[in-house]
Amino acid sequence: MTSIAANLQAVASRIAAACSAAGRNPAEVSLLAVSKTWPAACVREAAGCGQRAFGENYVQEGVAKISELADLGLEWHFIGPLQSNKTRPVAEHFAWVHSIERLKIAERLSAQRPAGLAPLQVCIQVNVSGEESKSGCAPAEAPALAAAVAALPNLRLRGLMAIPEPTDDGALQHRRFAALRELLAELNRQGLALDTLSMGMSDDMEAAIAEGATLVRVGTAIFGTRNYAA
Ligand SMILES: *Cc1c(COP(=O)(O)O)cnc(C)c1O
């Protein structure tokens, strides 16, 4: 068995164990394999093991892999920071965007989503770490942003995403993820119908699953340590 195959099995076991500890059904938690910096061949290998959903952070790199692997019919998620001059290729090539933090970006994605494609599935990225983090909208801004995004014609708002600051403090991990879960519940009480909590990565997926993650974004534990210099 290749290391990607073994790593995918190990991640599936971690998800299953975390679900079991939390009394959750593993079918409620989907795995997004984060393939940024890894060549298309690694994605093809993971796809050969049955993995269907992949996450990319950089527009050019992601679009190149999407075209190279078009024969596989994979589901591609954009999870990185998105500048307004890069929205068009994302609207044209990805199925999901997790990193909406401003209305202007959402408006451009909706306007640029090609007719004939399904609506772009989106999450609003929320900064649950205060001054420890720069990305994501402030929690207090999320209700208004969510209402505005939900009204855009070619997007479908699915939920919230967060990247808490890295920490070994398990209680802090739980607090950050719980804050996102509570915010999603508040938005649903206000009339939205959101089903996605995109939270948890290689180092903190157990805490995220315990707090209600429905999608974990995992890179290192599947593909290995990234080399950004490459
Ligand atoms: C890189 C990245 C991940 C994966 O992180 P790992 O620690 O490698 O699992 C998840 N989410 C986002 C937004 C990322 O940029």
Side-chain angles (χ1 to χ4, degrees):
M1 193 161 58
T2 67
S3 64
I4 288 178
N7 291 347
L8 278 168
Q9 282 193 4
V11 168
S13 301
R14 282 177 65 185
I15 292 172
C19 285
S20 158
R24 300 184 59 197
N25 179 346
E28 294 169 17
V29 181
S30 64
L31 173 62
L32 182 68
V34 176
S35 45
K36 66 182 178 215
T37 78
W38 296 101
C42 293
V43 175
R44 191 175 285 281
E45 192 175 330
C49 305
Q51 178 64 31
R52 305 305 301 164
F54 292 86
E56 289 285 336
N57 286 57
Y58 310 103
V59 176
Q60 220 179 336
E61 178 192 342
V63 168
K65 273 178 235 179
I66 292 171
S67 13
E68 192 170 341
L69 299 167
D71 58 307
L72 297 177
L74 300 174
E75 182 179 278
W76 291 94
H77 295 228
F78 189 80
I79 62 176
L82 187 50
Q83 305 300 321
S84 53
N85 62 348
K86 299 270 182 65
T87 51
R88 183 177 296 279
V90 171
E92 290 177 349
H93 295 283
F94 284 82
W96 282 69
V97 175
H98 293 231
S99 44
I100 303 283
E101 49 183 27
R102 291 188 287 143
L103 182 57
K104 182 183 173 200
I105 298 292
E107 287 170 340
R108 290 179 64 90
L109 289 169
S110 181
Q112 294 167 344
R113 184 69 167 168
L117 288 190
L120 188 61
Q121 312 292 301
V122 301
C123 291
I124 289 174
Q125 183 175 351
V126 180
N127 175 7
V128 292
S129 302
E131 291 176 357
E132 301 300 318
S133 168
K134 285 183 209 71
S135 45
C137 75
E141 294 167 358
L145 180 56
V149 170
L152 293 171
N154 300 320
L155 304 188
R156 180 161 168 231
L157 180 62
R158 295 293 298 272
L160 302 177
M161 183 273 244
I163 312 172
E165 73 275 42
T167 173
D168 295 331
D169 177 346
L172 181 60
Q173 290 178 358
H174 278 264
R175 269 206 313 283
R176 299 308 195 205
F177 293 132
L180 198 70
R181 167 172 45 73
E182 284 160 15
L183 187 55
L184 189 91
E186 183 187 325
L187 297 179
N188 281 336
R189 281 193 299 274
Q190 291 174 9
L192 294 172
L194 307 181
D195 61 9
T196 301
L197 272 176
S198 167
M199 59 188 197
M201 319 201 297
S202 292
D203 289 336
D204 56 12
M205 69 175 103
E206 282 82 5
I209 290 168
E211 297 298 342
T214 65
L215 181 154
V216 290
R217 308 177 311 270
V218 179
T220 307
I222 296 171
F223 296 107
T225 303
R226 285 179 292 276
N227 179 358
Y228 283 98

